[in-house]
Amino acid sequence: PDSVINQIIHIFALQVNFKNTHSGDKLLVAYDDDKDVIAAQFYQGKRIYSAIQYVNAEGSIEYFSPEGESMKKAFNRFPVKYTHINSLFNMHRLHPVTHVIRPHTGVDLAAPLGTPIYSIGDGHITFIGWEGAYGNIVKIQHNDKYLSIYAHLLRFAPNLSKNASVKRGQLIGYLGQTGNATGPHVHFEVRTYNIPVNPLTVALPQASSVPPSQIKAFKNRAQNLIAALNYYQKTKLK
């Protein structure tokens, strides 16, 4: 089913470039009555990529390697579905409004006015409000290392305040052009230990592994599911 194919592409997004598949590559997948993927193996040349479903404490479905390592990054790369990038990360940019050479410590992601903006990862809000040329801005501390910044917002999502916890993919506001902006966009920054880095190229950490208290049961389940896939391949696909 198309929904299963879309899940597979999402699950293996960090491991497999599906544009580079070749004749002889093979996919084995098991899914339930709700068409949620339970287990999958993708054979690409001599490499085998495996993913096992895991339901976390909040009841959300996630996917891990048979060893219990997450199949996804801890953060999303972008906070918005943008149409194009207006301005890149550049520590010596000529500012389009002030015409002064000054660092541009993020990327400007353009989209229609009012486009939803989402947090790239779990964290807590360290600042929400108006900040000079940035206009309406939200700053989210994700851990000791990573901070993300979203500026020029039209307005904020309701019920957000300083120190509030946010989840990855949670709505935090809407794209605008408040402050010193020449058109609708979100100025998006990522900082590591408060030092600006290029959001397009910075290495993003993996998400957490299966909790230690559940890893033994997870590995046993993974072993059984992979054995079932391999048995089906040997007996049904010859």
Side-chain angles (χ1 to χ4, degrees):
D2 288 344
S3 63
V4 172
I5 293 172
N6 290 334
Q7 287 178 69
I8 291 296
I9 293 172
H10 179 74
I11 291 166
F12 290 114
L14 296 180
Q15 289 78 26
V16 179
N17 182 353
F18 286 98
K19 293 181 180 179
N20 291 334
T21 53
H22 302 90
S23 177
D25 291 349
K26 180 169 52 182
L27 172 69
L28 301 178
V29 57
Y31 56 91
D32 60 21
D33 292 339
D34 295 324
K35 295 184 173 60
D36 289 326
V37 172
I38 299 172
Q41 283 191 309
F42 186 75
Y43 292 73
Q44 188 172 47
K46 295 182 179 180
R47 301 198 65 176
I48 303 174
Y49 303 91
S50 302
I52 304 296
Q53 183 196 87
Y54 170 78
V55 181
N56 64 22
E58 289 76 34
S60 299
I61 293 176
E62 298 180 1
Y63 293 91
F64 294 83
S65 72
E67 292 74 36
E69 297 175 351
S70 178
M71 302 291 290
K72 67 180 184 181
K73 296 289 187 184
F75 301 150
N76 295 330
R77 177 64 69 177
F78 299 107
V80 64
K81 292 183 178 180
Y82 63 92
T83 56
H84 61 280
I85 298 177
N86 272 348
S87 188
L88 296 170
F89 181 88
N90 184 350
M91 299 305 286
H92 304 282
R93 184 186 72 153
L94 180 65
H95 195 278
V97 175
T98 64
H99 304 293
V100 174
I101 293 178
R102 57 185 296 183
H104 187 244
T105 52
V107 292
D108 291 346
L109 306 174
L113 198 69
T115 300
I117 305 293
Y118 305 96
S119 173
I120 62 168
D122 295 352
H124 70 277
I125 296 174
T126 59
F127 183 86
I128 180 169
W130 185 275
E131 191 176 283
Y134 281 116
N136 289 324
I137 187 172
V138 178
K139 299 180 181 181
I140 299 175
Q141 190 73 47
H142 300 283
N143 50 34
D144 292 340
K145 182 177 181 180
Y146 292 95
L147 171 76
S148 62
I149 298 175
Y150 317 78
H152 306 308
L153 302 188
L154 176 67
R155 63 181 186 276
F156 306 115
N159 303 319
L160 292 183
S161 60
K162 185 177 179 180
N163 297 323
S165 296
V166 293
K167 291 291 187 180
R168 177 183 184 179
Q170 180 177 335
L171 177 69
I172 58 172
Y174 299 89
L175 185 142
Q177 58 182 90
T178 56
N180 200 352
T182 57
H185 71 276
V186 57
H187 172 82
F188 171 55
E189 292 189 27
V190 174
R191 298 186 181 186
T192 60
Y193 301 116
N194 208 33
I195 298 173
V197 293
N198 190 339
L200 302 183
T201 60
V202 61
L204 299 177
Q206 291 291 123
S208 299
S209 302
V210 173
S213 61
Q214 301 180 35
I215 190 65
K216 183 177 180 180
F218 174 83
K219 286 185 175 180
N220 287 338
R221 180 170 179 267
Q223 186 177 18
N224 291 335
L225 286 169
I226 289 175
L229 286 177
N230 291 335
Y231 177 79
Y232 185 90
Q233 177 186 194
K234 292 176 182 178
T235 59
K236 303 292 186 180
L237 301 183
K238 285 186 176 180

